[in-house]
């Protein structure tokens, strides 16, 4: 599933690249006009940044805000780009239908005629495998090698048997059976379409990316200064993307071989037949990953190890997750620039679409593969492997985000000042990548029993991942737009400070300014999603399917789980703190409320209750929110006792609720950190 999502991302990126090029090449637009437009865009960006230097919502101006900047491609590009996209889809469809027919004619494949015993045996194997597709068997009699190949479009599957394999039918019936079943397993696993689309995408995208690299590097010398940085960034990013696509293609094909072997073992009930084919490969074969990354078939040693340990099928590596993060960042940057690229026809809708597509890609791809690893090989996800996977995800996202053409365009527009913010940004994306992977593993463990007993586990999987994605999307948007926002802060707000220092301070200020719209949804999603999964897993009649977190026991009471007692007690203590007249009473009251949140977290997450940190976070947030509101009501009631002209309004208004929503998350983070230290101790 992760590969299918990545292939979709690469297809989208290829289509957008073609659209951007076609809007210039096929609509009689001169390069001088494009260069003038980008220079105007740079000037408008700088002016907008100066005007918004004190605003936390600084962003690159859209086309509607650029005044006199007019994109020469905007008028005639939509029919052209729509035609190019339609042509690309038709070309893929034609290749899907036509290439198998061409292969059959070029290789001289022939139907199996005059061999009734073999045909009956193959029909029996087809029936045993349970493959519902219509499969035809062909022969390649002039090929002396022992070889079989499954290919063909949907509805016309074919399996080719070489001349050497036909001879093996008489010499070693068991080996013949294992080889044919392996090809039928490819059909049963729907590998033919996955492998075909992977190869077609690779053959179509890599030459295009290489050509773009060859054009972009010298073009950076000819275009204007503002556009030169963007073109150079494209010249660096595109080869990296081509390498990732190539490695991804090889990983797809290697993984499908392992899954086909696993399907044969499932059918046969034993791996003896495949072990006989593999022989006794040396243990060191495939140990060095350099050649293995370039191969489309896994080494025999790895295939033999997968037969003995199915966990090999679900290993999560650094480079797999790095490709997921890179694809998400590239997709975000391409989509947010609009349908013809360059920022033209971009706006809030394109930014929203870019965030949603990128977030769904990253969470969906990473979540699916981690969920499979937890379900089928839980011991493979060691803390070290989780750290590697999270680091790869974060670095892939951060590096490709910094190398985006739009980011380089902004950096060149401000003279390269503030470039040192790249170091703390990569550290932040690495930390976020590790946190996301760790959380997805936790969610998979909590919801695993629900999938195990559900008749339609995929619906449950995608529903949970969709809800989780929706909750973390605001923070994902914040993380993806953070370099542009802090870059302008480093240039126009604090130009005397290093960019890395400005990044750290600006990120904290921006996060606090968006605490109710970004931090609160992400915080509640991270805590609530695994707790709901654990609760559903413990429903009456379902405890026999539960396998995680130790022996089930009665958790704390309902009110304790939401921090109600601690919130009420902290509100009363905060009122007493203000009443007795201590120095800085407001600050001391806030400290008392945060102490109540810490107590709520330790109370709700104590003992042997599962998911203690998630329980503690929910209780701390509830205690902070309730404590702030009740404290405000008590302060107003005390004020009502004193005579005065103002009317008594004990209930808090919108301002009081907003203040509670701002302070409760801050206290929750503090309580969570203290609770985490207590749990580890």
């Amino acid at each position: 599933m992760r590969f299918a999502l990545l292939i979709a991302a690469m297809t989208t990126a290829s289509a957008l690249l073609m659209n951007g090029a076609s809007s210039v090449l096929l609509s009689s637009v001169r390069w001088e006009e494009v260069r003038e437009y980008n220079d105007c865009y740079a000037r408008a960006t700088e002016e907008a940044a100066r005007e918004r230097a004190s605003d936390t919502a600084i962003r690159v101006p859209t086309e509607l805000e650029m005044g006199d900047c007019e994109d020469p491609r905007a008028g005639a590009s939509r029919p052209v780009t729509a035609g190019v996209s339609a042509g690309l889809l038709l070309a893929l469809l034609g290749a899907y239908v036509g290439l198998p027919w061409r292969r059959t004619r070029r290789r001289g494949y022939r139907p199996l005629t005059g061999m009734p015993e073999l045909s009956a045996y193959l029909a029996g194997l087809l029936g045993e495998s349970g493959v519902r597709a219509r499969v035809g068997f062909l022969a390649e009699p002039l090929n002396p090698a022992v070889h079989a190949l499954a290919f063909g479009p949907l509805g016309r599957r074919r399996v080719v048997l070489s001349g050497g394999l036909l001879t093996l039918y008489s010499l070693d019936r068991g080996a013949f059976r294992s080889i044919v079943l392996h090809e039928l397993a490819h059909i049963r696993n729907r590998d033919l379409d996955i492998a075909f689309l992977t190869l077609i995408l690779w053959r179509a995208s890599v030459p295009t990316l290489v050509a773009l690299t060859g054009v972009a590097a010298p073009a950076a010398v000819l275009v204007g200064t503002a556009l030169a940085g963007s073109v150079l960034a494209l010249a660096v990013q595109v080869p990296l993307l081509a390498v990732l696509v190539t490695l991804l293609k090889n990983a797809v094909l290697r993984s499908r071989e392992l899954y086909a072997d696993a399907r044969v073992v499932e059918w046969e009930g034993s791996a003896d037949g495949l072990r006989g084919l593999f022989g006794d490969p040396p243990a060191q074969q495939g140990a060095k990953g350099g050649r293995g990354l370039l191969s489309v078939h896994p080494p025999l040693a790895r295939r033999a190890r997968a037969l003995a340990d199915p966990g090999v099928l679900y290993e999560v590596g650094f480079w797999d997750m790095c490709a997921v993060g890179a694809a998400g960042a590239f997709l975000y940057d391409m989509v947010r620039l609009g349908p013809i690229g360059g920022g033209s026809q971009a706006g809030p809708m394109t930014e929203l679409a870019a965030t949603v597509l990128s977030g769904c890609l990253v969470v969906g791809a990473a979540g699916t593969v981690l969920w499979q690893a937890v379900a089928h090989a839980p011991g493979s996800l060691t803390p070290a492997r989780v750290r590697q996977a999270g680091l790869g995800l974060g670095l892939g996202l951060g590096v490709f985000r910094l190398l985006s053409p739009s980011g380089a365009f902004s950096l060149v527009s401000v003279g390269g000042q503030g470039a040192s913010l790249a170091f703390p940004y990569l550290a932040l994306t690495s930390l976020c990548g590790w946190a996301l992977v760790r959380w997805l593993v936790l969610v998979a463990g909590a919801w695993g029993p629900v999938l195990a007993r559900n008749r339609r586990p995929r619906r449950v999987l995608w529903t949970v991942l969709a809800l989780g994605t929706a909750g973390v999307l605001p923070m994902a948007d914040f993380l993806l737009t953070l370099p542009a926002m802090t870059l302008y802060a480093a240039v126009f707000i604090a130009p005397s400070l290093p960019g890395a220092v400005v990044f750290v301070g600006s990120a904290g200020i921006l996060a606090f300014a968006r605490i109710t719209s970004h931090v609160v949804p992400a915080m509640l999603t991270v805590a609530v999603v695994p707790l709901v999964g654990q609760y559903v897993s413990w429903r009456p009649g379902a405890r026999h399917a539960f396998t995680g977190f130790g022996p089930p026991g009665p958790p704390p009471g309902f009110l304790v789980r939401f921090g109600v007692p601690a919130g009420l007690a902290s509100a009363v203590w905060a009122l007493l703190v203000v009443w007795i007249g201590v120095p800085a009473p407001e600050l001391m009251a806030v400290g008392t409320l945060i102490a109540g949140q810490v107590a709520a977290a330790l109370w709700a997450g104590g003992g042997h209750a599962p998911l203690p940190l998630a329980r503690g976070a929910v209780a701390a947030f509830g205690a902070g929110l309730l404590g702030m509101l009740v404290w405000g009501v008590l302060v107003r009631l005390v004020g009502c006792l004193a005579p005065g002209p103002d009317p008594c309004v004990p209930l808090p208004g919108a301002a009081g609720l907003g203040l509670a929503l701002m302070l409760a998350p801050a206290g929750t983070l503090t309580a969570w950190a203290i609770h985490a230290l207590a749990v580890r101790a």
Side-chain angles (χ1 to χ4, degrees):
M1 184 59 67
R2 56 180 172 172
F3 299 131
L5 289 171
L6 286 172
I7 290 170
M10 297 299 102
T11 304
T12 303
S14 301
L16 289 173
L17 285 171
M18 292 186 65
N19 287 349
S22 65
S23 63
V24 175
L25 300 176
L26 302 180
S27 57
S28 301
V29 175
R30 296 181 301 168
W31 282 107
E32 293 80 3
E33 297 175 347
V34 178
R35 184 172 58 186
E36 293 175 0
Y37 164 74
N38 283 276
D39 292 338
C40 179
Y41 195 109
R43 292 192 299 269
T45 300
E46 182 176 351
E47 293 173 1
R50 290 185 185 277
E51 294 175 357
R52 304 177 182 186
S54 60
D55 187 1
T56 59
I58 297 175
R59 56 192 289 271
V60 177
T62 63
E63 182 186 13
L64 299 178
E65 300 168 335
M66 289 177 59
D68 298 332
C69 301
E70 182 178 355
D71 190 353
R73 302 168 294 170
S77 62
R78 291 185 179 180
V80 173
T81 54
V84 171
S85 298
L88 178 62
L89 293 177
L90 290 176
L92 289 175
L93 180 61
Y96 178 75
V97 175
L99 286 181
W101 174 81
R102 181 174 178 270
R103 182 187 185 93
T104 301
R105 290 180 58 87
R106 184 165 58 90
R107 296 291 181 90
Y109 298 155
R110 303 176 184 177
L112 284 176
T113 57
M115 291 179 281
E117 180 184 353
L118 176 61
S119 299
Y121 184 78
L122 293 174
L125 289 181
L126 187 61
E128 292 179 23
S129 65
V131 175
R132 299 179 180 180
R134 186 177 61 181
V135 180
F137 291 92
L138 303 176
E140 190 181 12
L142 300 181
N143 185 358
V146 177
H147 175 69
L149 175 67
F151 71 102
L154 188 65
R156 289 184 292 175
R157 307 299 194 189
R158 300 288 185 269
V159 175
V160 179
L161 311 178
S162 67
L165 185 59
L166 294 176
T167 304
L168 187 66
Y169 171 73
S170 303
L171 301 178
D172 190 343
R173 191 66 57 88
F176 178 86
R177 175 187 176 88
S178 298
I179 294 174
V180 174
L181 285 178
H182 179 87
E183 299 306 317
L184 293 177
H186 280 305
I187 299 176
R188 173 65 176 80
N189 293 345
R190 297 185 295 274
D191 293 344
L192 302 188
D193 296 330
I194 294 176
F196 179 82
L197 291 176
T198 301
L199 289 172
I200 288 297
L201 177 64
W202 179 75
R203 292 176 181 177
S205 61
V206 169
T208 303
L209 296 175
V210 172
L212 283 174
T213 303
V215 172
V221 183
L222 304 177
V223 299
T225 55
L227 188 59
S230 179
V231 176
L232 280 175
L234 182 66
V236 174
Q237 188 188 51
V238 164
L240 293 177
L241 184 63
V243 171
L244 281 176
V245 171
T246 302
L247 297 179
L248 175 62
K249 180 262 299 183
N250 296 339
V252 170
L253 299 179
R254 289 196 303 269
S255 67
R256 303 326 300 176
E257 294 297 324
L258 297 179
Y259 279 104
D261 290 343
R263 179 72 68 177
V264 173
V265 173
E266 178 185 346
W267 287 339
E268 294 283 77
S270 172
D272 294 339
L274 290 176
R275 288 197 184 98
L277 290 176
F278 299 156
D280 188 14
Q284 66 272 19
Q285 183 181 0
K288 297 181 179 180
R291 294 183 179 180
L293 293 176
L294 301 178
S295 174
V296 297
H297 282 82
L300 292 181
R302 180 176 174 82
R303 295 180 69 175
R305 187 160 62 94
L307 295 178
D309 180 15
V312 175
L313 302 174
Y314 308 102
E315 290 180 350
V316 181
F318 174 88
W319 292 109
D320 287 335
M321 287 300 171
C322 184
V324 173
F330 186 80
L331 180 62
Y332 171 82
D333 195 65
M334 294 300 297
V335 175
R336 70 180 293 270
L337 290 178
I340 63 174
S344 178
Q345 300 181 3
M349 292 305 298
T350 57
E351 292 186 2
L352 177 61
T355 302
V356 172
L357 291 176
S358 178
C360 291
L361 172 68
V362 172
V363 177
T368 302
V369 67
L370 291 171
W371 208 308
Q372 289 179 341
V374 170
H376 300 285
S380 64
L381 288 176
T382 61
R385 190 172 292 275
V386 170
R387 285 194 297 268
Q388 291 178 1
L391 183 63
L393 181 65
L395 285 179
L397 181 71
V399 169
F400 264 72
R401 187 70 190 98
L402 292 173
L403 289 177
S404 64
S406 60
F409 181 85
S410 301
L411 186 63
V412 174
S413 299
V414 297
Q417 189 173 354
S420 61
L421 62 84
F423 299 104
Y425 181 70
L426 289 179
L428 179 61
T429 56
S430 300
L431 178 62
C432 292
W434 170 81
L436 179 62
V437 171
R438 182 70 183 88
W439 178 69
L440 289 173
V441 172
L442 186 68
V443 172
W447 283 90
V450 183
L451 268 70
R453 68 170 184 265
N454 198 283
R455 295 181 179 179
R456 297 178 178 178
R458 291 185 179 180
R459 291 189 179 182
V460 178
L461 169 64
W462 287 111
T463 300
V464 174
L465 290 180
L467 293 176
T469 303
V472 300
L473 270 183
M475 285 303 297
D477 177 70
F478 175 77
L479 185 65
L480 291 169
T481 57
L482 194 57
M485 293 188 291
T486 54
L487 176 64
Y488 292 119
V491 175
F492 300 110
I493 298 178
S496 61
L497 296 177
V501 176
V502 177
F503 176 88
V504 175
S506 300
I509 295 173
L510 292 170
F512 186 77
R514 293 163 168 78
I515 195 167
T516 57
S517 60
H518 290 62
V519 179
V520 171
M523 181 183 299
L524 293 179
T525 300
V526 168
V528 170
V529 170
L531 286 176
V532 173
Q534 181 260 331
Y535 173 77
V536 176
S537 299
W538 277 12
R539 288 186 307 175
R543 296 195 178 199
H544 65 278
F546 190 80
T547 58
F549 310 114
F558 179 82
L559 296 180
V560 175
R561 280 180 274 172
F562 288 94
V564 175
L568 294 176
S570 64
V572 174
W573 278 105
L575 178 64
L576 294 177
V577 167
V578 175
W579 206 349
I580 62 178
V582 298
E586 291 83 2
L587 185 60
M588 294 298 295
V590 172
T592 303
L593 294 172
I594 293 178
Q597 291 181 272
V598 174
L602 295 175
W603 191 359
H608 298 285
L611 301 175
L613 294 180
R615 291 179 179 275
V618 172
F621 183 81
L625 186 62
L626 181 63
M628 277 295 302
L629 294 176
V630 173
W631 178 67
V633 171
L634 294 177
V635 171
R636 289 171 180 266
L637 287 175
V638 172
C640 291
L641 298 178
D646 297 332
C648 179
V649 183
L651 296 179
L657 180 61
L659 180 63
L661 286 174
M662 290 185 64
L663 295 180
T668 302
L669 293 176
T670 304
W672 182 87
I674 296 175
H675 188 200
L677 293 176
V679 170
R680 291 182 63 88

